[in-house]
Structure formats: C-alpha cells, structure tokens
C-alpha cells in the first residue's frame, strides 16, 4: 500500500517536470473497421465506397441546411485502404470564435458563419461508403474555454424519430454525434451523441473493447426540430475533457448520424474501409486548437442521503420459542416489521484537475447506495459468481484505464469505502492510474450478525485496498501495460501483479496477451484432505489471442487459464484450475442496403476446457446463421454439440478424504456417503443445444426481441432451488432430501422476451419475461422452474426531470421487488432523488421455520426502504 502511494507521488512530480514535443501527424490514408457499438455498428464486410461530391469544406455556411445532393464519386482503394479526398486527407482547421454562441439549438447566431464546415457524409451501414439518404453538416469552432459543435440534419420533420429519453438512453431515436480522440493516440476517445432534442449520451470508447456510457461529462446541448429536419448545438468546456492541444497538435475525430427508419442507416463524415480493422485509426484530424486557457479545476460534490428502512424480524422471542417447545408446540412465527431509526449519511466527492491530462479524485464517506437496482437474473443451478457492472460515479471516472482482458480490477469488490482516492491521467505515451481505499464493507455487520461470536474478530474492521495501473503506447497502435493490486483484511491478504500487451500489424491482424501472478494468504480448501486451512498460495493466470479480420472473414484463436490457487480479491473470478482453448471463424456478407435481406453471416465457435492436471472439463462446437432484414429486423439460429465432465473434487472433498454418513455406512456401501453418490467420482454428459433469437422495430412506438433455447444434456448440479424445488436427484429421493450430491443430465428450456411500447414522446414502458426450467432425465423430476417478469415504466417530463416505476417478480422464491423513483438530474454531480423500494413475498414460505414448508398466503413484506438523496456540483477554475 505504501509503495503504491509513493509511486503515485513520483508520477505526480514527473507530470509537472515533463515537457511535450509538438508532433504534427498527417492522417493515414487507410482506415479500419468500426467496432460493434451503438454509435458505429457495421458488419465486417463491405463493398466499394461512393460518397457524395465534396465541395470546398472550408467555406462558411449559414444556419439553413444545404440542399440534398445525390452526386457521388467513387473512392479509389489501394490494398483495402481508401484514397481520401484532399479536404478529408488534410487536418480540418478549427476557427477561433470571437464570442460564444447562445446554446439554444437554433443556430441563428452570426458567429456560426465563421465555423469550419464538415459535409459530404458517407453511408457506412448498411451501405459501404455510398451516398447517404439525407445530407448532414457539422459546424466547428472554439474559444479559449469551450469547444462548439453544431449539427444540421436535413430530413422530413414528421418522420424524425425524436422522443424525450433519459441521459444515455437515446439510441432508439435518430441521433448525431462524434468520437474525439483528444490525444490522437488511436486507442481511446470520447464518444458523445445527441438525440434530435439534444438529450446526451456520453462515454468512453476504448479501441478493441467498445463504448462505455457509464461516464458523464459536464457540457451543454440543445436540439430542435425544424421545417427541414433538426439541428443540435453543443458547448463542451475544455476543462471537462482530458486532452493535448496547442500548435500543430492533432485530435482524431469521427462525426456520425443515425437514421433509424432507413434500416438503421449510419452515416459518417469519414469513409470506412472494411478491409482494414479498427476504428480510431480511420478518424479524420482536427487542428488549430491553440491559445486554450489552461485551467486547474476543483469540483466539490457534497451529498446527503436521508433514509429509513424496515425489515421483517421474528415476532417470538427466544424465551417464547422455548416455552412453545416445552409444551410440544411449534407455531409458525408470523414475523413483524421493525423500522430502523432515521439515517443521515453525509458525504463528499472532490475532483482536482491538476493538468488537462491528469485528475485527482477523492471521496470521503461517499453516498454509494445505488439508485439503479441490479437486474434480476436466474440464480438457480449457478455454480460460479454472477458479474454485475459498476454503477457508482466515483469509480466510473477513468474506469477504462483499469480494465484488462483478465478482470484483475472490478471496483464493486470495494463494497463500502469510508475514504478513497484515485489519480488517473496520461502524459505523452504513458497512461497511469492509482486507487487507494479503506473499505468498511467486510466488517460492517448488522442485526444478529453483530452478536455472532465468529464475527467479533472482524466487527467494524476495514480492509485496505490499492490498485496501480501503468500503460505505455508503442508505435502507432500498440501498447504494453502493468497492473498490480493489493487487498488486506485482518489475516486475509491478496497481491496480484502482471503485464499485458496489444499489438496490431498489416491492417488486419491483432494479438493481445496478459499474464498475472498472485500471492494469497487466506483460507484454502483442500479436496485431497477434506479440510480448510490458512496457508499461502501462489498462482498464475494467463490470456492470449490472435485474430485476423478482413472484408468478409474473421478468424481468431485464443487461450486463457487460471491455476487452482488463483485469487483476485479486487477483481472478478469465476472458475479456477481451468484452461480454455478457443477457435472462432465467421463469414459476413456484404450488406445490400436496398434488399429485403440486408446481410447475413455464418459463424462457428469451438473451445476445449481442461484443468492443469490435463483432465477434460468441457468441449463445445457452436454454429450460427444470422439474417438481418429491414426495419431493424434480425434472426439468428444455432446448434451446439458438446461434452461436459464434472469431477467430485470440484464440489468438495475427494471421497477418500470424506467420512461416510452414519446412515449409509450401515448399508455397507461406503461410496454412497463419500463424494458423489454411487461408485463413480465423476459425471459426464453429451450435449445438444438449439438456439433461436430475433427482433424487429417497426416504428418508434413498438419494438420486440426474444430468444428460445433448448439444451439437451444440460447438467443439474443437484444444489436444489429452495423449498419450492428441493433436490430431485436419485440420492436425494432415496435419502429424503439429504445424502451426497448427485449431478445428472436433463433438459433445460430457456425463453426470454422484451416488448417496448412508447405511446408518447415522454412515456415508455418495457415488459420483460424470462423462463428457465430444468427437468432431469433419470428421475423425471423438475429441478427448478424460474419465471421472472419485469415491468418498467418511465415518464420523462423534461430532459432532466423524470418519474420511474419498476416491478420485478420471480416465481422461484415468490419474491416481488418494487421501486418508485422521482429524479431531477440537471448536470453530472447535481441531482435529487426521492425513492421507495419494497421487497415482498407473495404466497411464499415462512422464513423463520426451515424444517416445514409452511406457505403464507398473500403478500408478506421482507423489507422496505425510503430515501432522499441529493448532491450539488460546485465547480471552480483558476
């Protein structure tokens, strides 16, 4: 921990000592494929490019849009690289505005006549650099403190898809936007998009990973529908960005427009070659950003949460229960709801912009309670942990810096920090990040758990956590990195360190690798001895991939693995003692933008999994055929042939290390009570899986998508799924629900569907259904049947004011979760939330009697939670 803090101070000093050389780069004539993202989804196949004619792009423009043009000029190509028109091959000079425009979405300020104009877009999806259905223009300008961008989108106003969605949820509308590679490193960019009414979606694009819209940027935008389409006006303070600027400095830039009704058409200012992989290396260049006022910015976000919670507890005291037992009675405890005292939880988050390239974040007792609830998922028969994404604002700042192919860092492992500090930034070719936190989560016991003598050692104790990330850009698009984490809580310690790299060559090849070593002092379970003991464990994890992507073909070979003692207490781990070798291949047709069947693909993925003792675990070969139709219609059908093998020691002690159960020892069959049921110490299954999925969006008011899968030979792990679905294996039926575990084959049905309805621009409703049902072959019994129904509705009064309600019901536990939320979010950091959460059972089992299946009719509340959360952004520059 101390070493991480010392290294952070060294980095901070070096950042001020380092000087920056002005590097003028000419844009490459070749450009690669775009990643599959909401803003820039294309297939991996393409045809020749035919953009609209390109007049003088530097000519000023009035606020009225230009007339439509249908003239097209074919772009010549050399070895897959497009030869760009002169005005796109040269950096676009951004003019400096004498006075700022008024951001109202109307573009009627005279200053816009001085703007640099970008026009002559190409249709890149489903078209292949063909003329767009409607013309688009982009206007650019800046002053000392702000970057100004405007869009003029010509269209028929009554056909524009424009609603009032919440922030980051605009992608069912038409939209415009851009990628800004503010370091011109072709590795990371801001991705910022706007609905026709100016609602924002903002995040970070990491090359090879995709877009992450969990990050919010302070900026101003307005949009309005006009007689000739719509216009959007944007002002982004430079202090909201991390960047390098100055004389001869370049920014990479893409500008896009999505037109939903034209088969989800995507238009781009720059053409894209599908013979070259990548995204940001196809960007155009912006220059001229000189004389920007260097501001050090301090942001303070004080917050306070006022809440009251109640939970169901036992109605009978210990003395009353003993008195009932003395009388031979065992009445059902009805329980009672107890309200906790009103809670006031103040907090403070601070951000200091040390330089335009470096930021220091601090959180003191922050309000980390989630306004957004995690989506319900099926947890029955789950053998490994389920991943949930980070949602907390403090950790989302610069989160892309810490993300690697092996999840060595997953900040949700920092549960409830009293204090946390983070330093992130980029200096030249070096990217760095540091996190240090004191986490109260592991020692934060409540209720009866505080009285448990086994918890006294950990009660109210904090874990100390540290994360260090360094990455060095090499060449045009390559990089090498280092990552290290440490987790320390009482006598539990975990250290992780490793290196990673990413390399591209010959426009179509990519290779990535990562190697991690871990050292852990903690309890480890030994299946050979059948005991858990404190010891030190050293372990290794690795990842490697090499792939080739061209116009129509994609090939990839990958390998990854983790040894038995691998732990990453600041990261996320599912299965240990595993190696996975995979091969993926696919053919993607060239889209035909006017056809009924726009495109199709065939893919095959196969992998073999085995442990470090060389024993087979899984092999699977899965083939898919996909079809893409008009009106955003799609269908995918697939088949998988596979094999799965389960070893007894993965579920507990080996049978030679496990004593027999007394009741089975008397039968004279020792193997029945040790490990798996019966003579065999393993289970295996041949698998045949069938898949279907599809969806369509006929209009902005309706959309539907769903899937249906049937998995023959799926393994029931014999965990049981609560009182409603107890264990149904032969051993459980023979021994009345007890006895050794007995995994077995069965048929699994998976069904899911989502229906979205938007009757007005402000009101939207989503109804979702998920079903998972597994029936065993050997006993013909249902192992579990879970049906999850979710209803969500939201009314967006304005861009910033909304009311939302949500109800989730799962039949497996007969549980109903409901949330009502009112929110006002005028800018990132400033917000007011008033909410109520409820958790109930309907016709469920009494939780206080474990040995009787006593159903409680009607609704019984488990807990409830009322809260008011408010925060305010104080932003000062100097």
């Amino acid at each position: 921990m101390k070493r991480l803090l010392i290294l952070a101070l060294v980095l901070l000093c070096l950042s001020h000592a380092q000087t920056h050389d002005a590097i003028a780069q000419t844009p490459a004539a070749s450009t690669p494929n775009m990643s599959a993202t909401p803003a820039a989804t294309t297939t991996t196949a393409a045809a020749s490019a035919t953009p609209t004619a390109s007049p003088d792009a530097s000519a000023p423009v009035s606020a009225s849009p230009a007339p439509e043009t249908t003239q097209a000029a074919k772009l010549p190509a050399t070895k897959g690289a497009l030869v760009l028109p002169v005005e796109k091959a040269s950096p676009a000079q951004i003019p400096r505005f004498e006075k700022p425009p008024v951001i109202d979405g109307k573009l009627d300020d005279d200053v816009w006549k001085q703007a640099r104009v970008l026009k002559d877009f190409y249709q890149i999806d489903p078209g292949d650099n063909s003329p767009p259905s409607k013309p688009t223009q982009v206007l650019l300008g800046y002053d000392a403190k702000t970057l100004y961008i405007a869009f003029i989108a010509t269209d028929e106003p009554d056909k524009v898809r424009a609603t009032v969605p919440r922030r980051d949820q605009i992608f069912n509308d038409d939209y415009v936007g851009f990628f800004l590679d503010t370091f011109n490193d072709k590795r990371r960019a801001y991705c910022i998009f706007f609905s026709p009414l100016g609602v924002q979606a903002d995040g970070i694009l990491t090359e090879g990973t995709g877009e992450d819209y969990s990050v919010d940027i302070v900026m101003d935008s307005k949009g309005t529908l006009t007689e000739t389409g719509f216009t959007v006006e944007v002002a982004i303070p430079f202090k909201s960005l991390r960047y390098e600027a100055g004389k001869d400095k370049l920014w990479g830039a893409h500008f896009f427009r999505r037109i939903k009704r034209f088969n989800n058409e995507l238009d781009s200012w720059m053409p894209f070659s599908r013979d070259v992989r990548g995204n940001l290396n196809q960007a155009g260049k912006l220059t001229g950003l000189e004389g920007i006022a260097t501001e050090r910015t301090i942001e303070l976000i004080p917050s306070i949460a006022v809440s009251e919670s109640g939970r169901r507890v036992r109605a009978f005291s210990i003395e009353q229960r003993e008195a009932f037992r003395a009388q031979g009675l065992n009445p059902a405890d009805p329980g009672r709801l107890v309200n906790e005292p009103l809670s006031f939880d103040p907090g403070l988050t601070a951000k200091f912009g040390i330089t335009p390239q470096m930021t220091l974040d601090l959180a003191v007792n922050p309000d980390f309670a989630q306004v957004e609830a995690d989506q319900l998922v099926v947890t029955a028969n789950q053998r490994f942990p389920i991943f949930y994404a980070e949602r907390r604002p403090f950790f989302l700042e610069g989160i892309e810096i810490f993300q690697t192919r092996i999840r060595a860092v997953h900040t949700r492992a920092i549960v409830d920090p009293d204090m946390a500090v983070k330093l992130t930034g980029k200096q030249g070719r070096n990217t760095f990040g540091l996190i240090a936190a004191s986490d109260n989560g592991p020692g934060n016991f409540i209720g009866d758990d505080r009285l448990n003598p086994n918890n006294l050692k950990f009660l109210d104790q904090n874990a100390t956590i540290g994360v260090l990330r360094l990455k060095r850009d090499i060449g045009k698009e390559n990089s090498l990195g280092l990552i290290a984490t440490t987790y320390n809580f009482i006598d539990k310690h975990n250290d992780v360190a490793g290196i990673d790299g990413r390399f591209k060559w010959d426009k179509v090849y990519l290779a990535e690798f990562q190697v991690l070593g871990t050292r852990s002092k903690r309890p480890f379970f030994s299946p050979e001895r059948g005991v858990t003991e404190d010891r030190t464990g050293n372990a290794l994890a690795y990842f490697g991939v090499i792939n080739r992507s061209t116009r129509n073909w994609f090939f990839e070979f990958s390998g990854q693995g983790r040894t038995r003692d691998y732990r990453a207490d600041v990261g996320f781990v599912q299965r240990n003692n595993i190696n996975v070798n995979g091969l993926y291949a696919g053919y993607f047709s060239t889209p035909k933008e006017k056809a009924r069947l726009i495109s199709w693909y065939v893919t095959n993925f196969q992998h073999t999994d085995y442990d470090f003792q060389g024993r087979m675990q899984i092999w699977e070969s899965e083939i898919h055929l996909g079809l893409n139709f008009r009106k955003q219609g799609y269908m995918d059908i697939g088949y998988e042939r596979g094999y799965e093998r389960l070893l007894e020691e993965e579920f507990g002690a080996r049978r030679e290390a496990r004593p027999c159960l007394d009741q089975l020892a008397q039968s004279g069959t020792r193997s029945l009570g040790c490990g798996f049921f019966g003579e065999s110490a393993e289970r295996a299954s041949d698998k045949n899986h069938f898949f279907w999925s599809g969806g369509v969006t006929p209009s902005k008011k309706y959309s539907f998508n769903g899937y249906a899968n049937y998995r023959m030979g799926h393994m029931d792990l014999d965990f049981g799924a609560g009182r409603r679905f107890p264990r149904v294996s032969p051993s459980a039926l023979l021994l009345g629900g007890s006895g050794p575990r007995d995994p077995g084959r069965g048929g699994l049905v998976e069904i899911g569907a989502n229906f979205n309805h938007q009757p007005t621009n402000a009101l939207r409703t989503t109804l979702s259904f998920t079903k998972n049902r597994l029936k065993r072959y050997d006993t013909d019994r249902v192992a579990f049947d879970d049906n999850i129904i979710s209803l969500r509705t939201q009314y967006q009064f304005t861009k910033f004011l909304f009311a939302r309600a949500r109800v989730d019901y799962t039949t497996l536990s007969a549980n109903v979760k409901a949330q009502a939320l009112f929110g006002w979010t005028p800018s990132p950091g400033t917000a007011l939330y008033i909410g109520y959460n409820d958790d109930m059972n309907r016709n469920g089992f009494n939780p206080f009697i474990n040995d009787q299946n006593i159903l409680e009719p009607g609704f019984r509340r488990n807990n409830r939670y009322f809260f008011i959360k408010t925060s305010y952004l104080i932003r000062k520059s100097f």
Side-chain angles (χ1 to χ4, degrees):
M1 190 72 175
K2 292 181 180 178
R3 295 172 185 170
L4 293 176
L5 293 174
I6 292 172
L7 182 55
L9 294 175
V10 172
L11 289 171
L12 184 61
C13 295
L14 288 175
S15 69
H16 288 288
Q18 184 174 356
T19 58
H20 305 287
D21 296 328
I23 303 174
Q25 302 179 14
T26 56
S30 61
T31 51
N33 291 325
M34 304 180 73
S35 62
T37 63
T41 302
T42 67
T43 63
T44 57
S48 60
T50 53
T52 55
S54 300
D56 183 8
S58 63
V61 66
S62 64
S64 59
E68 295 188 27
T69 175
T70 57
Q71 184 179 1
K74 186 176 180 67
L75 288 177
T78 303
K79 293 183 179 180
L82 301 176
V83 179
L84 300 174
V86 174
E87 70 277 2
K88 294 180 187 280
S90 302
Q93 187 83 20
I94 303 179
R96 188 182 181 99
F97 285 173
E98 296 301 323
K99 67 175 186 177
V102 177
I103 305 302
D104 55 11
K106 298 180 180 179
L107 303 185
D108 52 2
D109 300 273
D110 289 340
V111 70
W112 282 117
K113 296 179 181 180
Q114 307 169 20
R116 176 62 188 260
V117 182
L118 308 180
K119 58 176 71 173
D120 301 311
F121 277 49
Y122 305 88
Q123 183 185 155
I124 61 171
D125 186 23
D128 186 11
N129 297 324
S130 59
S133 300
K134 302 290 181 181
T136 308
Q137 294 185 16
V138 180
L139 314 182
L140 300 173
Y142 80 102
D143 59 26
K145 295 184 177 182
T146 307
L147 175 66
Y148 301 102
I149 303 175
F151 292 85
I152 302 174
T154 301
D155 207 337
E156 301 161 69
D158 60 332
K159 295 184 179 180
V160 173
R161 291 193 183 180
T163 65
V164 188
R166 57 185 294 201
R167 190 184 187 114
D168 295 334
Q169 303 295 321
I170 70 170
F171 298 111
N172 289 324
D173 285 358
D174 292 347
Y175 56 88
V176 293
F178 48 84
F179 293 162
L180 281 183
D181 181 3
T182 54
F183 289 92
N184 193 34
D185 60 10
K186 304 178 183 66
R187 295 164 175 83
R188 173 189 176 276
Y190 292 97
C191 48
I192 304 176
F193 297 90
F194 308 91
S195 75
L197 300 181
V199 181
Q200 304 160 2
D202 46 355
I204 301 294
L205 167 71
T206 303
E207 189 68 84
T209 301
E211 298 168 22
D212 178 5
Y213 288 95
S214 59
V215 178
D216 290 333
I217 299 167
V218 179
M219 58 182 162
D220 191 15
S221 65
K222 296 290 191 303
T224 184
L225 297 176
T226 67
E227 294 180 354
T228 55
F230 66 91
T231 58
V232 175
E233 200 171 12
V234 183
I236 306 177
F238 287 111
K239 62 186 178 183
S240 294
L241 305 175
R242 297 180 183 178
Y243 63 91
E244 286 185 344
K247 184 176 175 56
D248 297 327
K249 290 291 185 179
L250 300 178
W251 285 9
H254 278 303
F255 296 91
F256 302 108
R257 178 184 178 185
R258 179 78 74 178
I259 309 177
K260 304 296 286 188
R261 73 181 186 278
F262 294 139
N263 299 321
N264 210 31
E265 175 180 324
L266 180 64
D267 302 331
S268 171
W269 171 56
M270 294 294 292
F272 274 78
S273 171
R274 295 175 182 175
D275 287 313
V276 183
R277 69 174 307 138
N279 192 324
L280 298 178
N281 56 357
Q282 304 201 61
K285 304 300 178 187
L286 306 180
T287 189
L289 295 170
E290 302 177 18
I292 296 175
T294 301
E295 296 180 297
R296 287 182 171 85
T297 303
I298 293 180
E299 295 182 4
L300 300 176
I301 306 178
S303 66
I304 186 168
V306 181
S307 62
E308 184 182 57
S309 61
R311 63 190 183 96
R312 188 182 182 187
V313 299
R314 293 181 181 273
F316 299 153
S317 65
I318 296 177
E319 292 77 11
Q320 288 175 313
R321 293 200 300 269
E322 291 298 329
F324 285 135
R325 290 193 181 97
Q327 301 175 38
L329 302 176
N330 188 17
D333 190 327
R336 60 191 180 95
L337 192 71
V338 175
N339 291 320
E340 301 288 341
L342 197 66
S343 172
F344 294 86
D345 192 10
L348 176 67
T349 301
K351 182 192 301 289
F352 178 41
I354 302 171
T355 69
Q357 300 85 28
M358 186 185 306
T359 302
L360 179 67
D361 294 90
L362 174 69
V364 180
N365 192 31
D367 171 24
F368 281 147
Q370 291 179 267
V371 174
E372 291 271 1
D374 290 319
Q375 182 176 351
L376 285 184
V377 296
V378 176
T379 58
N381 210 46
Q382 290 290 338
R383 185 177 171 192
F384 304 110
I386 297 173
F387 180 82
Y388 292 99
E390 181 62 85
R391 298 178 184 270
R392 300 170 294 181
F394 172 81
F395 289 112
L396 293 176
E397 170 71 28
I399 194 173
E400 73 282 353
I401 294 174
F402 302 95
Q403 292 172 336
T404 58
R405 295 301 294 262
I406 302 175
R407 292 188 184 274
V409 176
H410 180 43
T411 49
R412 284 191 68 156
I414 306 174
V415 180
D416 184 19
D418 295 331
M419 179 177 292
V421 63
K422 178 171 57 177
L423 178 71
T424 54
K426 181 167 187 175
Q427 291 291 119
R429 290 180 171 269
N430 301 312
T431 301
F432 55 88
L434 177 76
I435 299 175
S438 176
D439 186 10
N440 185 47
N444 188 17
F445 296 99
I446 60 174
D448 293 341
D449 290 335
R450 297 185 66 87
L451 304 177
N452 188 331
N454 295 326
N455 295 333
L456 293 180
K457 180 179 179 180
F458 312 106
L459 193 63
D460 297 329
Q461 299 296 310
N462 279 27
T464 57
I465 296 166
V467 179
L468 173 67
R469 173 64 168 159
L470 300 172
K471 189 167 71 171
R472 170 78 176 180
D473 295 343
I474 301 173
K476 291 184 177 180
E477 299 178 63
N478 308 322
S479 64
L480 280 174
L482 178 148
I483 194 163
T485 71
T486 182
Y487 184 98
N488 303 278
F489 180 65
I490 313 298
D491 51 3
K492 177 182 176 183
H493 307 278
N494 174 249
D495 297 307
V496 179
I499 60 173
D500 58 276
R502 188 173 191 266
F503 302 92
K504 293 176 63 177
W505 71 97
D506 197 29
K507 299 184 179 66
V508 296
Y509 289 97
L510 170 69
E512 295 182 79
F513 79 91
Q514 185 172 8
V515 179
L516 294 175
T518 73
R519 183 177 179 84
S520 306
K521 186 179 185 304
R522 55 172 296 154
F524 285 91
F525 177 75
S526 170
E528 294 83 4
R529 300 176 56 197
V531 296
T532 298
E533 56 188 354
D534 287 333
R535 63 177 176 85
T536 298
N538 299 319
L540 173 74
Y542 69 90
F543 171 86
V545 63
I546 182 170
N547 61 47
R548 182 177 188 271
S549 177
T550 61
R551 175 176 293 268
N552 299 101
W553 291 95
F554 181 83
F555 299 95
E556 177 177 283
F557 177 75
S558 62
Q560 59 181 307
R562 293 175 293 276
T563 59
R564 177 187 292 177
D565 287 349
Y566 177 80
R567 301 292 187 274
D569 290 342
V570 192
F572 180 79
V573 185
Q574 285 191 309
R575 185 175 188 177
N576 290 335
N577 194 20
I578 185 174
N579 299 274
V580 181
N581 294 331
L583 178 64
Y584 177 81
Y587 176 83
F588 300 83
S589 74
T590 299
K592 299 178 180 179
E593 55 190 284
K594 304 298 183 181
R596 291 181 181 273
L597 177 61
I598 295 174
S599 64
W600 58 275
Y601 60 84
V602 176
T603 62
N604 175 252
F605 175 68
Q606 45 192 301
H607 66 99
T608 301
D609 304 359
Y610 53 94
D611 63 20
F612 277 81
Q613 290 73 45
R615 298 172 295 188
M616 173 76 73
Q617 294 170 329
I618 299 174
W619 73 261
E620 293 174 332
S621 181
E622 184 174 317
I623 187 169
H624 281 262
L625 170 64
L627 309 172
N628 295 311
F629 306 99
R630 295 178 180 178
K631 296 184 177 181
Q632 302 171 57
Y634 70 92
M635 183 173 67
D636 181 285
I637 55 175
Y639 168 74
E640 178 184 85
R641 175 69 175 169
Y643 169 83
E644 183 173 8
R645 181 190 188 195
L646 304 178
L647 299 175
E648 182 176 70
E649 64 193 69
E650 298 180 85
F651 295 82
R654 291 182 178 177
R655 58 185 52 211
E656 58 266 22
R658 183 182 299 179
C660 298
L661 298 175
D662 293 340
Q663 62 201 59
L664 295 175
Q666 296 175 3
S667 70
T669 309
R670 184 179 187 279
S671 63
L672 291 177
C674 304
F676 284 168
F677 180 74
E679 299 292 338
S680 177
E682 64 179 60
R683 297 288 186 271
S685 175
D686 291 318
K687 304 188 295 185
N688 292 277
H689 296 171
F690 304 89
F691 309 100
W692 175 90
S693 64
V696 66
T697 306
S699 73
K700 74 175 184 179
K701 291 187 175 182
Y702 304 98
S703 67
F704 170 82
N705 63 78
Y707 65 88
N709 306 327
Y710 182 62
R711 300 178 183 267
M712 299 174 59
H714 193 80
M715 295 297 291
D716 169 36
L717 302 177
D718 199 21
F719 291 150
R723 297 193 223 177
R724 199 173 299 272
F725 291 98
R727 294 171 55 198
V728 295
S729 62
S731 64
L733 297 180
L734 177 65
L735 302 171
S738 62
R741 185 164 292 126
D742 190 8
R745 302 172 70 240
L748 176 65
V749 175
E750 299 174 318
I751 299 174
N754 293 280
F755 176 73
N756 301 287
H757 182 216
Q758 182 148 357
T760 70
N761 287 343
L763 178 64
R764 69 202 68 226
T765 300
T766 300
L767 178 63
S768 302
F769 172 74
T770 302
K771 181 182 183 66
N772 275 39
R773 183 179 186 271
L774 176 61
K775 187 176 183 180
R776 286 186 65 127
Y777 296 149
D778 49 13
T779 62
D780 201 34
R781 299 288 187 93
V782 176
F784 65 87
D785 187 355
D786 194 5
N787 301 273
I788 298 176
I789 302 172
S790 299
L791 177 64
R792 305 173 191 177
T793 185
Q794 175 168 312
Y795 193 88
Q796 198 80 30
F797 300 96
T798 68
K799 289 196 300 182
F800 310 126
L801 189 66
F802 69 88
R804 182 165 71 242
R806 171 177 174 174
V807 178
D808 299 298
Y809 175 64
T810 171
T811 60
L812 186 63
S813 58
N815 182 250
V816 182
K817 295 183 185 296
Q819 181 186 64
L821 181 68
F822 174 85
W824 178 63
T825 56
S827 67
T830 298
L832 170 66
Y833 296 103
I834 302 174
Y836 176 76
N837 294 348
D838 215 334
D839 185 318
M840 297 177 287
N841 280 355
R842 179 183 178 275
N843 297 335
F845 293 102
N846 188 309
F848 304 120
I849 300 181
N850 297 323
D851 58 349
Q852 296 181 29
N853 286 343
I854 298 179
L855 280 171
E856 299 179 315
F859 288 94
R860 297 296 177 101
R861 179 171 284 110
N862 300 313
N863 56 69
R864 62 184 179 188
Y865 179 62
F866 172 77
F867 62 90
I868 299 176
K869 301 178 183 179
T870 184
S871 62
Y872 184 75
L873 172 63
I874 303 171
R875 200 180 206 205
K876 299 294 181 181
S877 301
F878 57 94

